[in-house]
Amino acid sequence: MRGVKHAFLATEARLLAAGAALGLFLTACSHASDSGISAYTDHSRSIVTFSIAADPMTLNPLFLHQDASSVEQQLARLAFEPFIDLDERGRPVPALLSSIPARDNGGLSADGRTIVYHLRPSVRWSDGVPVTSDDVLFTLHAIVDPRNPVRSHEGYNLIDQFSAPDAHTVIFHLRHAWAPAVMTYFSYGFAPQFVLPAHILKAQMRGLSPSMSSIPLNQIPFNTAPTVGDGPYSFAAWHHGDNLTYVANQRYWRGKPNIPQLNIRIVPDPQTNLVLLRSGQLDWNLIAPSQEADVTGASGITVTPAMGIFRVPTSVIAGIVLNTKHSPLDDVRVRRAIAMSIDRDAISQKITLGAYPVTNMLQPQFSWAYNPAIKEPSFNTGDADRLLDQAGWRCNHVAGSDSGCVRSKSGKRLELTYVQFPETTTGVRVATVVQEELRARGFDITLKSISNAQLFLPRTGVLASGEFDLAYVPFTMGADPDDSSILACNGASNYMRWCNAKVGKLESLALTATSRSERKRYYTQIAGAVDQEVPLVFLFNAYYIYAYRGRLHNFMPNAFLPTWNAYNWKLY
């Protein structure tokens, strides 16, 4: 979410790349020129090219920003390993850990307050230094350090004691049980984090300040040139606004990846991406359901080279956020009328061709916490009109208006601004349909297109600042069903500015409960309250469609990221 840029420092830094030790010197634009990279000229065999929807704001995973495309997280997963990964079927897989902590293996205490993590002893950073418990504790300190502008401290601020009995064991003790802990710490939480190379960051901090006491980590060169990581690929170059390059990490613990180099283009426009994909200039890309026929050739367009399609249920819940601090959206009758005015089934069928099913809660439909019995107000224009009348918004018949009716109250028209971002084909089409449906009920809806970057920018972005009435937002949920970041009164992503004390209590109970059945009951009650008060209108749970060239094998995105298994990609 990146139209506004931070001013980043740049530095000369050493990167170990493919082949013999290669000196890569980074310029102010974070570009590393290297004979080992330029030697990869046979694109058919050695380079995979794909695109991301925006220029990153940072490459330091400590400071990942939320956006609709998880741009920075896609890149972070190339260069860094999570504690626990999820495969293409959503099954937990230990990555940086040798095993997933559980009660039966002694990794999780009976009261849920003590977690013992065992790191894989074979993992090394790309510069050859072992990954140890010191790196974990250093990163934990960095996350909770108030000088570092991390997106969220959620969960990490519950750790009241931590220790490292040896180089490959870390113990966290929590103030109280926190149900998402195992699947969230350094894994797929709502605000994901990765373990950082302590020796590199400490050295860079000392280079700027001998005492290291006054330097926040968002001022070090690592933010634009993370040349050392423990993932399958190592950062090599960043041409801001144009492309990034990553090269295979020869010391990767699973073995050197099959593909020597990844070229990542920055292409915000979905139609441009489609053209690049169809012409063979991209090896894979996320496509809208409406684009599938053009990619596969079913529409009659000749496509060269041939494409494969991979569908995956995701944790993305798309909806329309209602700013409840703005009148008339502070009136629940108006919010419910908006929900009743939108034909969500038609949106699912006509815009996503049925690929994205209608949903009614923040938990993905593959989650054990999802309850299909929960229903948001259904499409009913008669009831919508009655609610608006009850709220005092009377219909004034105006010749030449789209609906023949423009509602007003005390001389003020029922005007709302709907914000969407152009990087999503589906979202743009949804905006047009919703505008028409609300106009038919007497709303005066102005559509405003804001870039992905401007929309989601922390603190000053449109969502964070509240400069909207309605906004199309795809929420990427975590591996755990916790939705407190969105629905708790002070949640970091509570863009609705909605506060319900009962929901707040239920969120706390759901986070401390120890059984799935108990937690599911709480999340059902939370969803019921949301569907009654409608601070957001749920649209669908996205089932993403990825198109990829036939030469690319083992491309299997999971529910969160398309790059999670880049180590296993192959070209034929």
Side-chain angles (χ1 to χ4, degrees):
M1 308 173 164
R2 309 273 168 291
V4 179
K5 293 292 186 70
H6 289 303
F8 292 122
L9 297 174
T11 188
E12 290 190 346
R14 181 173 57 88
L15 174 68
L16 291 177
L22 303 172
L24 302 179
F25 297 93
L26 306 179
T27 69
C29 69
S30 299
H31 171 63
S33 62
D34 178 276
S35 59
I37 295 174
S38 60
Y40 297 135
T41 55
D42 183 2
H43 287 215
S44 65
R45 294 294 183 93
S46 61
I47 298 176
V48 162
T49 301
F50 62 94
S51 71
I52 52 177
D55 203 22
M57 290 176 61
T58 180
L59 297 181
N60 185 342
L62 182 67
F63 303 119
L64 294 180
H65 298 90
Q66 180 192 12
D67 73 79
S69 304
S70 300
V71 164
E72 292 171 359
Q73 192 180 352
Q74 287 189 53
L75 299 176
R77 185 60 191 91
L78 294 174
F80 299 93
E81 292 287 276
F83 270 8
I84 301 168
D85 221 328
L86 294 174
D87 68 13
E88 71 280 6
R89 298 183 182 179
R91 297 171 298 190
V93 179
L96 191 54
L97 302 179
S98 60
S99 61
I100 299 175
R103 291 184 185 178
D104 59 4
N105 63 16
L108 183 65
S109 63
D111 62 4
R113 296 177 61 194
T114 302
I115 309 172
V116 181
Y117 295 104
H118 296 288
L119 304 178
R120 292 185 186 273
S122 59
V123 182
R124 291 182 176 271
W125 296 108
S126 53
D127 62 358
V129 174
V131 176
T132 69
S133 53
D134 179 62
D135 297 302
V136 177
L137 298 188
F138 171 86
T139 308
L140 177 59
H141 278 291
I143 292 170
V144 299
D145 187 337
R147 297 174 302 169
N148 295 324
V150 300
R151 178 182 161 202
S152 173
H153 298 131
E154 183 184 18
Y156 294 94
N157 55 5
L158 297 178
I159 302 171
D160 60 359
Q161 297 178 42
F162 45 86
S163 61
D166 58 54
H168 298 105
T169 304
V170 178
I171 301 174
F172 290 171
H173 185 271
L174 313 184
R175 290 199 301 271
H176 58 73
W178 189 57
V182 169
M183 291 301 299
T184 296
Y185 291 141
F186 298 109
S187 299
Y188 287 99
F190 193 75
Q193 290 288 353
F194 295 84
V195 176
L196 302 173
H199 65 292
I200 296 296
L201 275 68
K202 286 178 180 178
Q204 292 190 2
M205 291 169 70
R206 279 193 296 269
L208 295 172
S209 172
S211 68
M212 296 194 304
S213 60
S214 60
I215 300 297
L217 289 175
N218 66 332
Q219 296 182 15
I220 64 174
F222 191 84
N223 299 312
T224 54
T227 55
V228 174
D230 58 355
Y233 286 87
S234 296
F235 168 81
W238 182 8
H239 297 274
H240 291 260
D242 187 61
N243 67 81
L244 301 99
T245 303
Y246 285 72
V247 294
N249 175 9
Q250 296 190 82
R251 293 189 171 93
Y252 185 53
W253 67 272
R254 285 186 171 102
K256 182 183 176 181
N258 300 293
I259 299 167
Q261 182 175 329
L262 304 178
N263 285 351
I264 303 159
R265 300 179 63 172
I266 298 164
V267 186
D269 180 57
Q271 288 304 120
T272 301
N273 272 303
L274 182 63
V275 171
L276 293 173
L277 183 68
R278 285 190 354 211
S279 64
Q281 296 181 65
L282 298 180
D283 283 294
W284 65 263
N285 199 59
L286 175 67
I287 61 172
S290 60
Q291 295 174 326
E292 182 177 353
D294 288 343
V295 168
T296 59
S299 65
I301 297 175
T302 301
V303 179
T304 304
M307 292 286 170
I309 295 294
F310 191 96
R311 294 177 175 83
V312 60
T314 75
S315 63
V316 175
I317 307 297
I320 300 171
V321 167
L322 283 61
N323 189 339
T324 64
K325 294 301 182 185
H326 285 188
S327 177
L329 300 176
D330 54 351
D331 188 332
V332 68
R333 294 170 296 184
V334 175
R335 299 198 301 268
R336 288 182 64 83
I338 288 173
M340 293 174 181
S341 301
I342 299 172
D343 190 345
R344 298 183 297 147
D345 287 324
I347 287 173
S348 172
Q349 291 301 317
K350 295 179 181 179
I351 294 180
T352 80
L353 307 180
Y356 299 177
V358 172
T359 201
N360 295 280
M361 60 192 300
L362 280 168
Q363 286 68 35
Q365 294 183 4
F366 61 73
S367 169
W368 51 263
Y370 178 75
N371 187 340
I374 292 293
K375 300 294 181 185
E376 201 165 49
S378 58
F379 179 59
N380 189 317
T381 57
D383 284 352
D385 286 339
R386 281 185 284 274
L387 280 174
L388 291 170
D389 288 341
Q390 291 172 17
W393 293 96
R394 300 294 181 177
C395 185
N396 303 303
H397 293 282
V398 178
S401 71
D402 292 345
S403 64
C405 162
V406 175
R407 292 184 180 271
S408 63
K409 180 178 181 180
S410 302
K412 182 179 180 180
R413 291 163 64 104
L414 186 50
E415 298 175 324
L416 297 175
T417 298
Y418 182 113
V419 173
Q420 52 90 15
F421 54 100
E423 291 89 343
T424 164
T425 298
T426 298
V428 169
R429 296 183 67 192
V430 166
T432 301
V433 169
V434 170
Q435 181 187 43
E436 292 174 354
E437 291 180 330
L438 291 181
R439 278 181 174 173
R441 308 272 58 80
F443 288 83
D444 185 353
I445 302 295
T446 299
L447 295 184
K448 187 175 182 180
S449 183
I450 300 292
S451 73
N452 187 26
Q454 292 173 315
L455 186 64
F456 291 95
L457 194 69
R459 293 181 293 280
T460 59
V462 172
L463 292 174
S465 63
E467 296 176 1
F468 69 96
D469 296 315
L470 311 175
Y472 175 80
V473 177
F475 290 101
T476 301
M477 307 305 295
D480 185 89
D482 172 30
D483 55 12
S484 61
S485 290
I486 300 170
L487 299 178
C489 292
N490 296 316
S493 297
N494 184 346
Y495 304 127
M496 304 83 65
R497 280 109 177 126
W498 178 66
C499 186
N500 181 306
K502 179 182 177 182
V503 166
K505 291 179 180 177
L506 289 169
E507 291 284 9
S508 296
L509 291 170
L511 289 172
T512 56
T514 57
S515 72
R516 280 191 172 184
S517 59
E518 187 179 8
R519 295 187 72 202
K520 182 173 182 176
R521 185 169 69 252
Y522 291 136
Y523 286 121
T524 293
Q525 294 177 47
I526 291 168
V530 172
D531 290 346
Q532 282 297 311
E533 297 195 16
V534 196
L536 63 94
V537 177
F538 295 107
L539 293 175
F540 41 72
N541 182 184
Y543 278 52
Y544 278 172
I545 303 171
Y546 291 91
Y548 62 95
R549 294 176 64 183
R551 75 187 195 123
L552 179 62
H553 288 233
N554 299 335
F555 176 72
M556 296 182 291
N558 68 15
F560 302 90
L561 293 173
T563 56
W564 78 276
N565 75 328
Y567 66 86
N568 202 32
W569 296 349
K570 293 183 179 181
L571 289 176
Y572 290 98

